[in-house]
Amino acid sequence: MRQPRQGHGAPRRTGQISAGLTALRIIATTASRWLATLALLSLATIHASAQEAPSAIAHVEQAFALPTPPGATTGAVYLTLSIAKGDAVLTGASTPMAATVELHSMQLTQERMQMHRIKQLAISSDAPLAMAPGGGPHLMLIGLSQPLTAGDKLPLTLHFLARPDTSLEVSIKEYAEMMPLSD
Ligand SMILES: [Cu+2]
């Protein structure tokens, strides 16, 4: 006698509960799929930025400028530019101490070293760029607001193609100071 009562009520309730559980499961599954998708998306974003970040930073070392004689309006900056991963293109530089900064290269023309302006300088992890007085590329300061004095510093910002600028302080010193002491 008891069974029919329970029997009439129980299956229906069980059915409602299981239907409710199924609905919950579907919601839970959909939610977890969404969460998984979101997690994957954010991972992909992190991965993309992690891939771009290291190569974005070009490393600058041994940046120096030679002192200029009184009255001189041009000077030169030399530096070593390297990159840990990938490549970069230096497109120019600027300083509040000169009207313009040009990328220059030196070329031997009819037994004379001649400077000429170049538009950009490419570097890669395989091929860093080491500038030095006496030839090759350098940064030419044009329209100096004051002579470059040994011991002073020169603020310089390097501009790259599709990469953030790099700002640094350039030491003004005699080239001899950069050479290892020998003899
Ligand atoms: Cu030059």
Side-chain angles (χ1 to χ4, degrees), residues 91-127:
T91 55
S94 52
T95 174
M97 284 176 75
T100 328
V101 182
E102 287 184 359
L103 298 180
H104 275 194
S105 184
M106 292 260 234
Q107 213 169 31
L108 192 64
T109 317
Q110 294 168 338
E111 293 177 12
R112 272 193 65 203
M113 282 297 265
Q114 283 199 324
M115 295 193 292
H116 62 272
R117 190 181 181 181
I118 47 173
K119 279 187 177 171
Q120 55 189 39
L121 275 166
I123 60 155
S124 73
S125 53
D126 299 330

PDB file of all heavy atoms in Angstrom, residues 91-127:
ATOM      1  N   THR A  91      66.617  53.326 -36.991  1.00  0.00           N
ATOM      2  CA  THR A  91      66.235  54.280 -38.036  1.00  0.00           C
ATOM      3  C   THR A  91      66.726  55.692 -37.747  1.00  0.00           C
ATOM      4  O   THR A  91      66.672  56.560 -38.612  1.00  0.00           O
ATOM      5  CB  THR A  91      64.701  54.322 -38.205  1.00  0.00           C
ATOM      6  OG1 THR A  91      64.113  54.603 -36.927  1.00  0.00           O
ATOM      7  CG2 THR A  91      64.160  53.003 -38.725  1.00  0.00           C
ATOM      8  N   GLY A  92      67.206  55.919 -36.533  1.00  0.00           N
ATOM      9  CA  GLY A  92      67.696  57.253 -36.215  1.00  0.00           C
ATOM     10  C   GLY A  92      67.862  57.444 -34.731  1.00  0.00           C
ATOM     11  O   GLY A  92      67.673  56.520 -33.948  1.00  0.00           O
ATOM     12  N   ALA A  93      68.212  58.672 -34.360  1.00  0.00           N
ATOM     13  CA  ALA A  93      68.392  59.008 -32.952  1.00  0.00           C
ATOM     14  C   ALA A  93      68.127  60.485 -32.762  1.00  0.00           C
ATOM     15  O   ALA A  93      68.059  61.245 -33.740  1.00  0.00           O
ATOM     16  CB  ALA A  93      69.808  58.649 -32.515  1.00  0.00           C
ATOM     17  N   SER A  94      67.953  60.884 -31.503  1.00  0.00           N
ATOM     18  CA  SER A  94      67.762  62.300 -31.217  1.00  0.00           C
ATOM     19  C   SER A  94      68.339  62.636 -29.852  1.00  0.00           C
ATOM     20  O   SER A  94      68.461  61.770 -28.981  1.00  0.00           O
ATOM     21  CB  SER A  94      66.269  62.652 -31.282  1.00  0.00           C
ATOM     22  OG  SER A  94      65.516  61.777 -30.462  1.00  0.00           O
ATOM     23  N   THR A  95      68.724  63.893 -29.678  1.00  0.00           N
ATOM     24  CA  THR A  95      69.258  64.386 -28.415  1.00  0.00           C
ATOM     25  C   THR A  95      68.893  65.865 -28.279  1.00  0.00           C
ATOM     26  O   THR A  95      68.867  66.579 -29.290  1.00  0.00           O
ATOM     27  CB  THR A  95      70.795  64.201 -28.331  1.00  0.00           C
ATOM     28  OG1 THR A  95      71.260  64.838 -27.136  1.00  0.00           O
ATOM     29  CG2 THR A  95      71.522  64.780 -29.522  1.00  0.00           C
ATOM     30  N   PRO A  96      68.603  66.312 -27.060  1.00  0.00           N
ATOM     31  CA  PRO A  96      68.327  67.743 -26.899  1.00  0.00           C
ATOM     32  C   PRO A  96      69.575  68.607 -27.123  1.00  0.00           C
ATOM     33  O   PRO A  96      69.468  69.822 -27.235  1.00  0.00           O
ATOM     34  CB  PRO A  96      67.821  67.842 -25.460  1.00  0.00           C
ATOM     35  CG  PRO A  96      68.230  66.589 -24.787  1.00  0.00           C
ATOM     36  CD  PRO A  96      68.398  65.548 -25.841  1.00  0.00           C
ATOM     37  N   MET A  97      70.744  67.965 -27.205  1.00  0.00           N
ATOM     38  CA  MET A  97      71.991  68.727 -27.350  1.00  0.00           C
ATOM     39  C   MET A  97      72.409  68.981 -28.794  1.00  0.00           C
ATOM     40  O   MET A  97      73.405  69.653 -29.048  1.00  0.00           O
ATOM     41  CB  MET A  97      73.123  68.027 -26.591  1.00  0.00           C
ATOM     42  CG  MET A  97      73.010  68.251 -25.089  1.00  0.00           C
ATOM     43  SD  MET A  97      74.234  67.352 -24.155  1.00  0.00           S
ATOM     44  CE  MET A  97      75.712  68.318 -24.451  1.00  0.00           C
ATOM     45  N   ALA A  98      71.657  68.435 -29.750  1.00  0.00           N
ATOM     46  CA  ALA A  98      71.968  68.691 -31.161  1.00  0.00           C
ATOM     47  C   ALA A  98      70.681  68.835 -31.954  1.00  0.00           C
ATOM     48  O   ALA A  98      69.670  68.222 -31.618  1.00  0.00           O
ATOM     49  CB  ALA A  98      72.812  67.554 -31.725  1.00  0.00           C
ATOM     50  N   ALA A  99      70.752  69.650 -33.011  1.00  0.00           N
ATOM     51  CA  ALA A  99      69.564  69.876 -33.836  1.00  0.00           C
ATOM     52  C   ALA A  99      69.128  68.587 -34.537  1.00  0.00           C
ATOM     53  O   ALA A  99      67.940  68.299 -34.622  1.00  0.00           O
ATOM     54  CB  ALA A  99      69.850  70.965 -34.862  1.00  0.00           C
ATOM     55  N   THR A 100      70.101  67.839 -35.022  1.00  0.00           N
ATOM     56  CA  THR A 100      69.819  66.604 -35.758  1.00  0.00           C
ATOM     57  C   THR A 100      70.822  65.523 -35.404  1.00  0.00           C
ATOM     58  O   THR A 100      71.974  65.825 -35.087  1.00  0.00           O
ATOM     59  CB  THR A 100      69.947  66.826 -37.302  1.00  0.00           C
ATOM     60  OG1 THR A 100      69.556  68.162 -37.621  1.00  0.00           O
ATOM     61  CG2 THR A 100      69.121  65.855 -38.100  1.00  0.00           C
ATOM     62  N   VAL A 101      70.381  64.301 -35.483  1.00  0.00           N
ATOM     63  CA  VAL A 101      71.300  63.162 -35.386  1.00  0.00           C
ATOM     64  C   VAL A 101      71.095  62.322 -36.642  1.00  0.00           C
ATOM     65  O   VAL A 101      69.972  61.948 -36.962  1.00  0.00           O
ATOM     66  CB  VAL A 101      71.044  62.292 -34.129  1.00  0.00           C
ATOM     67  CG1 VAL A 101      72.058  61.158 -34.044  1.00  0.00           C
ATOM     68  CG2 VAL A 101      71.075  63.131 -32.852  1.00  0.00           C
ATOM     69  N   GLU A 102      72.186  62.095 -37.360  1.00  0.00           N
ATOM     70  CA  GLU A 102      72.094  61.294 -38.594  1.00  0.00           C
ATOM     71  C   GLU A 102      72.851  59.993 -38.436  1.00  0.00           C
ATOM     72  O   GLU A 102      73.859  59.938 -37.729  1.00  0.00           O
ATOM     73  CB  GLU A 102      72.703  62.081 -39.772  1.00  0.00           C
ATOM     74  CG  GLU A 102      71.842  63.226 -40.243  1.00  0.00           C
ATOM     75  CD  GLU A 102      72.419  63.941 -41.477  1.00  0.00           C
ATOM     76  OE1 GLU A 102      73.507  63.544 -41.960  1.00  0.00           O
ATOM     77  OE2 GLU A 102      71.764  64.883 -41.950  1.00  0.00           O
ATOM     78  N   LEU A 103      72.371  58.968 -39.101  1.00  0.00           N
ATOM     79  CA  LEU A 103      73.118  57.715 -39.165  1.00  0.00           C
ATOM     80  C   LEU A 103      74.118  57.884 -40.302  1.00  0.00           C
ATOM     81  O   LEU A 103      73.736  58.233 -41.414  1.00  0.00           O
ATOM     82  CB  LEU A 103      72.185  56.536 -39.469  1.00  0.00           C
ATOM     83  CG  LEU A 103      71.080  56.211 -38.471  1.00  0.00           C
ATOM     84  CD1 LEU A 103      70.271  55.015 -38.968  1.00  0.00           C
ATOM     85  CD2 LEU A 103      71.655  55.900 -37.110  1.00  0.00           C
ATOM     86  N   HIS A 104      75.382  57.685 -39.987  1.00  0.00           N
ATOM     87  CA  HIS A 104      76.417  57.844 -41.007  1.00  0.00           C
ATOM     88  C   HIS A 104      77.204  56.553 -41.205  1.00  0.00           C
ATOM     89  O   HIS A 104      77.328  55.754 -40.287  1.00  0.00           O
ATOM     90  CB  HIS A 104      77.401  58.946 -40.593  1.00  0.00           C
ATOM     91  CG  HIS A 104      76.938  60.315 -40.986  1.00  0.00           C
ATOM     92  ND1 HIS A 104      77.775  61.408 -40.978  1.00  0.00           N
ATOM     93  CD2 HIS A 104      75.723  60.763 -41.406  1.00  0.00           C
ATOM     94  CE1 HIS A 104      77.086  62.480 -41.373  1.00  0.00           C
ATOM     95  NE2 HIS A 104      75.837  62.118 -41.627  1.00  0.00           N
ATOM     96  N   SER A 105      77.714  56.439 -42.391  1.00  0.00           N
ATOM     97  CA  SER A 105      78.630  55.343 -42.691  1.00  0.00           C
ATOM     98  C   SER A 105      79.871  55.947 -43.311  1.00  0.00           C
ATOM     99  O   SER A 105      79.833  57.062 -43.842  1.00  0.00           O
ATOM    100  CB  SER A 105      77.953  54.366 -43.648  1.00  0.00           C
ATOM    101  OG  SER A 105      78.800  53.267 -43.859  1.00  0.00           O
ATOM    102  N   MET A 106      80.970  55.243 -43.240  1.00  0.00           N
ATOM    103  CA  MET A 106      82.224  55.730 -43.828  1.00  0.00           C
ATOM    104  C   MET A 106      82.578  54.842 -45.001  1.00  0.00           C
ATOM    105  O   MET A 106      82.393  53.624 -44.949  1.00  0.00           O
ATOM    106  CB  MET A 106      83.349  55.647 -42.792  1.00  0.00           C
ATOM    107  CG  MET A 106      83.171  56.607 -41.653  1.00  0.00           C
ATOM    108  SD  MET A 106      84.175  58.066 -41.874  1.00  0.00           S
ATOM    109  CE  MET A 106      85.051  58.057 -40.330  1.00  0.00           C
ATOM    110  N   GLN A 107      83.075  55.454 -46.025  1.00  0.00           N
ATOM    111  CA  GLN A 107      83.462  54.688 -47.198  1.00  0.00           C
ATOM    112  C   GLN A 107      84.759  55.244 -47.755  1.00  0.00           C
ATOM    113  O   GLN A 107      84.953  56.465 -47.781  1.00  0.00           O
ATOM    114  CB  GLN A 107      82.361  54.777 -48.248  1.00  0.00           C
ATOM    115  CG  GLN A 107      82.230  53.518 -49.073  1.00  0.00           C
ATOM    116  CD  GLN A 107      80.971  53.543 -49.913  1.00  0.00           C
ATOM    117  OE1 GLN A 107      80.510  54.605 -50.330  1.00  0.00           O
ATOM    118  NE2 GLN A 107      80.410  52.378 -50.180  1.00  0.00           N
ATOM    119  N   LEU A 108      85.608  54.358 -48.169  1.00  0.00           N
ATOM    120  CA  LEU A 108      86.869  54.783 -48.763  1.00  0.00           C
ATOM    121  C   LEU A 108      86.622  55.111 -50.234  1.00  0.00           C
ATOM    122  O   LEU A 108      86.288  54.243 -51.039  1.00  0.00           O
ATOM    123  CB  LEU A 108      87.910  53.658 -48.629  1.00  0.00           C
ATOM    124  CG  LEU A 108      89.350  54.036 -48.934  1.00  0.00           C
ATOM    125  CD1 LEU A 108      89.896  55.073 -47.956  1.00  0.00           C
ATOM    126  CD2 LEU A 108      90.232  52.788 -48.919  1.00  0.00           C
ATOM    127  N   THR A 109      86.705  56.402 -50.552  1.00  0.00           N
ATOM    128  CA  THR A 109      86.479  56.852 -51.920  1.00  0.00           C
ATOM    129  C   THR A 109      87.740  57.574 -52.401  1.00  0.00           C
ATOM    130  O   THR A 109      88.140  58.559 -51.793  1.00  0.00           O
ATOM    131  CB  THR A 109      85.267  57.815 -51.989  1.00  0.00           C
ATOM    132  OG1 THR A 109      84.235  57.272 -51.183  1.00  0.00           O
ATOM    133  CG2 THR A 109      84.746  57.982 -53.387  1.00  0.00           C
ATOM    134  N   GLN A 110      88.340  57.101 -53.455  1.00  0.00           N
ATOM    135  CA  GLN A 110      89.563  57.677 -54.029  1.00  0.00           C
ATOM    136  C   GLN A 110      90.600  57.964 -52.933  1.00  0.00           C
ATOM    137  O   GLN A 110      91.077  59.084 -52.766  1.00  0.00           O
ATOM    138  CB  GLN A 110      89.233  58.964 -54.808  1.00  0.00           C
ATOM    139  CG  GLN A 110      88.379  58.679 -56.030  1.00  0.00           C
ATOM    140  CD  GLN A 110      87.793  59.935 -56.669  1.00  0.00           C
ATOM    141  OE1 GLN A 110      87.671  60.980 -56.032  1.00  0.00           O
ATOM    142  NE2 GLN A 110      87.436  59.826 -57.934  1.00  0.00           N
ATOM    143  N   GLU A 111      90.865  56.901 -52.163  1.00  0.00           N
ATOM    144  CA  GLU A 111      91.864  56.927 -51.089  1.00  0.00           C
ATOM    145  C   GLU A 111      91.525  57.906 -49.966  1.00  0.00           C
ATOM    146  O   GLU A 111      92.396  58.327 -49.215  1.00  0.00           O
ATOM    147  CB  GLU A 111      93.272  57.211 -51.659  1.00  0.00           C
ATOM    148  CG  GLU A 111      93.763  56.059 -52.522  1.00  0.00           C
ATOM    149  CD  GLU A 111      95.107  56.331 -53.160  1.00  0.00           C
ATOM    150  OE1 GLU A 111      95.756  57.297 -52.755  1.00  0.00           O
ATOM    151  OE2 GLU A 111      95.466  55.562 -54.057  1.00  0.00           O
ATOM    152  N   ARG A 112      90.266  58.298 -49.901  1.00  0.00           N
ATOM    153  CA  ARG A 112      89.847  59.181 -48.804  1.00  0.00           C
ATOM    154  C   ARG A 112      88.641  58.571 -48.107  1.00  0.00           C
ATOM    155  O   ARG A 112      87.738  58.059 -48.760  1.00  0.00           O
ATOM    156  CB  ARG A 112      89.469  60.563 -49.352  1.00  0.00           C
ATOM    157  CG  ARG A 112      90.629  61.528 -49.452  1.00  0.00           C
ATOM    158  CD  ARG A 112      90.109  62.936 -49.695  1.00  0.00           C
ATOM    159  NE  ARG A 112      89.318  63.437 -48.566  1.00  0.00           N
ATOM    160  CZ  ARG A 112      88.410  64.415 -48.681  1.00  0.00           C
ATOM    161  NH1 ARG A 112      88.159  64.960 -49.854  1.00  0.00           N
ATOM    162  NH2 ARG A 112      87.748  64.854 -47.625  1.00  0.00           N
ATOM    163  N   MET A 113      88.653  58.662 -46.787  1.00  0.00           N
ATOM    164  CA  MET A 113      87.494  58.171 -46.037  1.00  0.00           C
ATOM    165  C   MET A 113      86.423  59.240 -46.111  1.00  0.00           C
ATOM    166  O   MET A 113      86.662  60.389 -45.744  1.00  0.00           O
ATOM    167  CB  MET A 113      87.880  57.914 -44.573  1.00  0.00           C
ATOM    168  CG  MET A 113      88.631  56.622 -44.367  1.00  0.00           C
ATOM    169  SD  MET A 113      87.675  55.140 -44.779  1.00  0.00           S
ATOM    170  CE  MET A 113      87.036  54.723 -43.177  1.00  0.00           C
ATOM    171  N   GLN A 114      85.270  58.870 -46.595  1.00  0.00           N
ATOM    172  CA  GLN A 114      84.183  59.834 -46.695  1.00  0.00           C
ATOM    173  C   GLN A 114      82.941  59.334 -45.982  1.00  0.00           C
ATOM    174  O   GLN A 114      82.589  58.162 -46.065  1.00  0.00           O
ATOM    175  CB  GLN A 114      83.867  60.121 -48.163  1.00  0.00           C
ATOM    176  CG  GLN A 114      84.880  61.057 -48.799  1.00  0.00           C
ATOM    177  CD  GLN A 114      84.342  61.703 -50.063  1.00  0.00           C
ATOM    178  OE1 GLN A 114      83.598  61.060 -50.813  1.00  0.00           O
ATOM    179  NE2 GLN A 114      84.707  62.941 -50.309  1.00  0.00           N
ATOM    180  N   MET A 115      82.286  60.275 -45.272  1.00  0.00           N
ATOM    181  CA  MET A 115      81.066  59.927 -44.565  1.00  0.00           C
ATOM    182  C   MET A 115      79.880  60.158 -45.489  1.00  0.00           C
ATOM    183  O   MET A 115      79.875  61.095 -46.265  1.00  0.00           O
ATOM    184  CB  MET A 115      80.868  60.848 -43.354  1.00  0.00           C
ATOM    185  CG  MET A 115      81.900  60.703 -42.293  1.00  0.00           C
ATOM    186  SD  MET A 115      81.354  61.534 -40.800  1.00  0.00           S
ATOM    187  CE  MET A 115      81.396  63.251 -41.281  1.00  0.00           C
ATOM    188  N   HIS A 116      78.894  59.309 -45.342  1.00  0.00           N
ATOM    189  CA  HIS A 116      77.636  59.582 -46.029  1.00  0.00           C
ATOM    190  C   HIS A 116      76.476  59.110 -45.165  1.00  0.00           C
ATOM    191  O   HIS A 116      76.612  58.193 -44.343  1.00  0.00           O
ATOM    192  CB  HIS A 116      77.599  58.973 -47.432  1.00  0.00           C
ATOM    193  CG  HIS A 116      77.704  57.484 -47.444  1.00  0.00           C
ATOM    194  ND1 HIS A 116      78.921  56.832 -47.477  1.00  0.00           N
ATOM    195  CD2 HIS A 116      76.751  56.522 -47.415  1.00  0.00           C
ATOM    196  CE1 HIS A 116      78.704  55.527 -47.469  1.00  0.00           C
ATOM    197  NE2 HIS A 116      77.399  55.304 -47.417  1.00  0.00           N
ATOM    198  N   ARG A 117      75.367  59.772 -45.366  1.00  0.00           N
ATOM    199  CA  ARG A 117      74.182  59.471 -44.567  1.00  0.00           C
ATOM    200  C   ARG A 117      73.533  58.177 -45.035  1.00  0.00           C
ATOM    201  O   ARG A 117      73.438  57.920 -46.234  1.00  0.00           O
ATOM    202  CB  ARG A 117      73.184  60.628 -44.699  1.00  0.00           C
ATOM    203  CG  ARG A 117      72.054  60.501 -43.722  1.00  0.00           C
ATOM    204  CD  ARG A 117      71.062  61.628 -43.863  1.00  0.00           C
ATOM    205  NE  ARG A 117      70.013  61.428 -42.850  1.00  0.00           N
ATOM    206  CZ  ARG A 117      68.968  62.204 -42.692  1.00  0.00           C
ATOM    207  NH1 ARG A 117      68.805  63.249 -43.473  1.00  0.00           N
ATOM    208  NH2 ARG A 117      68.081  61.963 -41.764  1.00  0.00           N
ATOM    209  N   ILE A 118      73.109  57.368 -44.068  1.00  0.00           N
ATOM    210  CA  ILE A 118      72.367  56.153 -44.405  1.00  0.00           C
ATOM    211  C   ILE A 118      71.010  56.218 -43.707  1.00  0.00           C
ATOM    212  O   ILE A 118      70.874  56.870 -42.676  1.00  0.00           O
ATOM    213  CB  ILE A 118      73.136  54.852 -44.039  1.00  0.00           C
ATOM    214  CG1 ILE A 118      73.703  54.919 -42.614  1.00  0.00           C
ATOM    215  CG2 ILE A 118      74.230  54.568 -45.040  1.00  0.00           C
ATOM    216  CD1 ILE A 118      74.324  53.629 -42.137  1.00  0.00           C
ATOM    217  N   LYS A 119      70.037  55.565 -44.299  1.00  0.00           N
ATOM    218  CA  LYS A 119      68.669  55.663 -43.776  1.00  0.00           C
ATOM    219  C   LYS A 119      68.450  54.796 -42.542  1.00  0.00           C
ATOM    220  O   LYS A 119      67.712  55.157 -41.643  1.00  0.00           O
ATOM    221  CB  LYS A 119      67.659  55.268 -44.857  1.00  0.00           C
ATOM    222  CG  LYS A 119      67.376  56.399 -45.814  1.00  0.00           C
ATOM    223  CD  LYS A 119      66.252  56.026 -46.759  1.00  0.00           C
ATOM    224  CE  LYS A 119      65.904  57.189 -47.699  1.00  0.00           C
ATOM    225  NZ  LYS A 119      64.976  56.762 -48.751  1.00  0.00           N
ATOM    226  N   GLN A 120      69.077  53.633 -42.512  1.00  0.00           N
ATOM    227  CA  GLN A 120      68.875  52.725 -41.383  1.00  0.00           C
ATOM    228  C   GLN A 120      70.022  51.743 -41.248  1.00  0.00           C
ATOM    229  O   GLN A 120      70.806  51.556 -42.167  1.00  0.00           O
ATOM    230  CB  GLN A 120      67.542  51.983 -41.541  1.00  0.00           C
ATOM    231  CG  GLN A 120      67.406  51.238 -42.863  1.00  0.00           C
ATOM    232  CD  GLN A 120      65.996  50.706 -43.061  1.00  0.00           C
ATOM    233  OE1 GLN A 120      65.019  51.355 -42.729  1.00  0.00           O
ATOM    234  NE2 GLN A 120      65.890  49.496 -43.607  1.00  0.00           N
ATOM    235  N   LEU A 121      70.079  51.149 -40.060  1.00  0.00           N
ATOM    236  CA  LEU A 121      71.106  50.152 -39.778  1.00  0.00           C
ATOM    237  C   LEU A 121      70.416  48.926 -39.192  1.00  0.00           C
ATOM    238  O   LEU A 121      69.705  49.029 -38.200  1.00  0.00           O
ATOM    239  CB  LEU A 121      72.103  50.700 -38.758  1.00  0.00           C
ATOM    240  CG  LEU A 121      73.257  51.555 -39.289  1.00  0.00           C
ATOM    241  CD1 LEU A 121      73.936  52.276 -38.140  1.00  0.00           C
ATOM    242  CD2 LEU A 121      74.269  50.704 -40.044  1.00  0.00           C
ATOM    243  N   ALA A 122      70.609  47.788 -39.826  1.00  0.00           N
ATOM    244  CA  ALA A 122      69.958  46.562 -39.355  1.00  0.00           C
ATOM    245  C   ALA A 122      70.895  45.782 -38.445  1.00  0.00           C
ATOM    246  O   ALA A 122      72.100  45.719 -38.681  1.00  0.00           O
ATOM    247  CB  ALA A 122      69.549  45.716 -40.549  1.00  0.00           C
ATOM    248  N   ILE A 123      70.338  45.249 -37.379  1.00  0.00           N
ATOM    249  CA  ILE A 123      71.105  44.346 -36.519  1.00  0.00           C
ATOM    250  C   ILE A 123      70.292  43.076 -36.304  1.00  0.00           C
ATOM    251  O   ILE A 123      69.073  43.085 -36.421  1.00  0.00           O
ATOM    252  CB  ILE A 123      71.471  44.966 -35.150  1.00  0.00           C
ATOM    253  CG1 ILE A 123      70.212  45.362 -34.355  1.00  0.00           C
ATOM    254  CG2 ILE A 123      72.402  46.144 -35.301  1.00  0.00           C
ATOM    255  CD1 ILE A 123      70.430  45.387 -32.871  1.00  0.00           C
ATOM    256  N   SER A 124      70.977  42.004 -35.989  1.00  0.00           N
ATOM    257  CA  SER A 124      70.292  40.762 -35.658  1.00  0.00           C
ATOM    258  C   SER A 124      71.070  40.084 -34.543  1.00  0.00           C
ATOM    259  O   SER A 124      72.169  40.507 -34.199  1.00  0.00           O
ATOM    260  CB  SER A 124      70.202  39.854 -36.881  1.00  0.00           C
ATOM    261  OG  SER A 124      71.463  39.313 -37.166  1.00  0.00           O
ATOM    262  N   SER A 125      70.477  39.030 -33.984  1.00  0.00           N
ATOM    263  CA  SER A 125      71.158  38.316 -32.898  1.00  0.00           C
ATOM    264  C   SER A 125      72.484  37.728 -33.391  1.00  0.00           C
ATOM    265  O   SER A 125      73.416  37.553 -32.628  1.00  0.00           O
ATOM    266  CB  SER A 125      70.252  37.229 -32.347  1.00  0.00           C
ATOM    267  OG  SER A 125      69.793  36.408 -33.402  1.00  0.00           O
ATOM    268  N   ASP A 126      72.555  37.450 -34.680  1.00  0.00           N
ATOM    269  CA  ASP A 126      73.792  36.906 -35.268  1.00  0.00           C
ATOM    270  C   ASP A 126      74.791  37.999 -35.601  1.00  0.00           C
ATOM    271  O   ASP A 126      75.993  37.764 -35.626  1.00  0.00           O
ATOM    272  CB  ASP A 126      73.483  36.153 -36.571  1.00  0.00           C
ATOM    273  CG  ASP A 126      72.546  34.981 -36.347  1.00  0.00           C
ATOM    274  OD1 ASP A 126      72.599  34.411 -35.239  1.00  0.00           O
ATOM    275  OD2 ASP A 126      71.768  34.663 -37.261  1.00  0.00           O
ATOM    276  N   ALA A 127      74.265  39.199 -35.886  1.00  0.00           N
ATOM    277  CA  ALA A 127      75.139  40.280 -36.329  1.00  0.00           C
ATOM    278  C   ALA A 127      74.923  41.557 -35.522  1.00  0.00           C
ATOM    279  O   ALA A 127      74.160  42.425 -35.918  1.00  0.00           O
ATOM    280  CB  ALA A 127      74.922  40.540 -37.816  1.00  0.00           C
TER     281      ALA A 127
END
